[in-house]
Amino acid sequence: MMEYIGATGIPMTFDPVSVEDGIDFHFILSFAIDANSSGNSQNGVFSPYWVPTLTPEGVAAIKESHPNVKVMASLSGWSLGDTVLHWYDPEDPDKWVSNGVSSLKSIINKYHLDGIDIDYETFPKNQTKFAYCIGGLISELKNQSVITVATIAPFYSTTDPYIELHDGYGDVIDYINYQFYTDKVRRPQGYLETFKLRAMQFGAEKLLPSYEIAGRGIQGDAFFQALELLEDSGFALNGVMIFSADAGSQNGYYYERESQAFLLNATTV
């Protein structure tokens, strides 16, 4: 189970979120950004921009009370305030990787984190150093045993750079948090067809179905009908990604509870 938390400015904490002890639950802090508060790039020097109520003490406490919980930092996201964030090719990619490792190691140690999620969402049209930089960053963090899990979060218009990243560094990527809600599919059969397409691009083994609470794409219990259809079609349901706990707080974390119940009862998990 993967869930983003802390991106919207709502003063969130981990405690109210429904966590079943029988399933691995990954909270994804949103976001750590290699930019200053004005949105100017910092050459791989990351800073945390999730809500300040998600504290290092809070991370330590939720992990102590639920040993099945891991906490990650998502990198970049769509924007910082009103400033849209873009992937930029650093002049010295190796220096960017070195800065990224150093700055993230500091954040990871401070917040007791277990991994990182890659969520750069805007790219230049020409070929970039994205795969080289991000692949190198994940590899080095894993080689140094700084993290134990790494995920990527492509969506419909960013598949190309993420396919390149996955093709080159798939051995250090654990899950694909594909944002299926961006495909604007609202019915279970359409969800299945889209899942098949993304499974061809990234492989089915690491691909997680995803849901945006009160947002885009499939909504309500049709999502769970789609999960049943995926299972009936032979896909192993290795987890669910939800965006986000901030929205889930408005409905008593219904989708978190139902998703975990579905996964615990799934025959292919």
Side-chain angles (χ1 to χ4, degrees):
M1 181 76 185
M2 301 263 179
E3 180 156 46
Y4 290 82
I5 186 170
T8 62
I10 298 172
M12 297 293 300
T13 62
F14 300 104
D15 293 337
V17 182
S18 176
V19 175
E20 290 286 344
D21 289 336
I23 193 168
D24 292 335
F25 197 114
H26 295 60
F27 284 104
I28 306 177
L29 298 174
S30 312
F31 294 90
I33 305 171
D34 58 330
N36 63 20
S37 58
S38 299
N40 298 317
S41 60
Q42 296 292 287
N43 197 31
V45 177
F46 286 85
S47 300
Y49 285 93
W50 47 79
V51 292
T53 49
L54 296 170
T55 64
E57 294 77 16
V59 173
I62 192 67
K63 291 173 68 173
E64 183 176 2
S65 61
H66 294 285
N68 56 312
V69 163
K70 292 185 177 181
V71 183
M72 307 167 64
S74 187
L75 306 190
S76 186
W78 175 257
S79 65
L80 180 56
D82 294 330
T83 302
V84 175
L85 299 168
H86 300 263
W87 170 260
Y88 60 93
D89 275 349
E91 293 184 8
D92 183 345
D94 293 322
K95 181 63 174 175
W96 188 95
V97 171
S98 177
N99 288 343
V101 169
S102 178
S103 60
L104 286 171
K105 185 185 296 186
S106 177
I107 295 169
I108 288 164
N109 289 337
K110 177 179 179 180
Y111 280 86
H112 318 290
L113 304 183
D114 302 282
I116 60 171
D117 171 71
I118 308 302
D119 190 28
Y120 283 88
E121 300 197 354
T122 305
F123 293 87
K125 293 182 179 180
N126 57 320
Q127 189 75 11
T128 76
K129 296 291 185 181
F130 175 72
Y132 178 86
C133 291
I134 297 298
L137 176 66
I138 296 171
S139 298
E140 191 58 31
L141 289 170
K142 282 200 166 185
N143 288 341
Q144 294 186 26
S145 299
V146 179
I147 62 172
T148 59
V149 60
T151 60
I152 61 175
F155 62 96
Y156 75 97
S157 66
T158 65
T159 51
D160 287 349
Y162 280 97
I163 288 171
E164 182 185 2
L165 171 61
H166 184 261
D167 287 350
Y169 298 89
D171 58 327
V172 294
I173 295 170
D174 298 287
Y175 295 101
I176 316 296
N177 286 325
Y178 184 85
Q179 300 176 50
F180 283 98
Y181 37 84
T182 66
D183 285 299
K184 301 179 181 179
V185 173
R186 303 192 68 86
R187 297 182 181 276
Q189 185 63 41
Y191 200 102
L192 171 63
E193 296 307 315
T194 301
F195 195 92
K196 289 179 179 178
L197 170 62
R198 305 311 175 188
M200 289 177 58
Q201 293 172 323
F202 294 99
E205 181 179 338
K206 302 176 183 179
L207 184 64
L208 303 187
S210 62
Y211 181 76
E212 183 177 43
I213 298 173
R216 298 161 290 179
I218 200 166
Q219 290 291 292
D221 288 337
F223 174 63
F224 301 109
Q225 296 169 15
L227 295 184
E228 291 177 353
L229 190 55
L230 289 174
E231 191 174 43
D232 291 344
S233 299
F235 286 107
L237 297 181
N238 296 316
V240 167
M241 180 269 272
I242 290 181
F243 189 88
S244 66
D246 304 40
S249 65
Q250 305 302 310
N251 59 25
Y253 302 103
Y254 172 80
Y255 294 99
E256 292 82 351
R257 289 185 282 106
E258 291 298 311
S259 293
Q260 289 174 93
F262 189 97
L263 291 171
L264 288 169
N265 290 323
T267 60
T268 56
V269 71

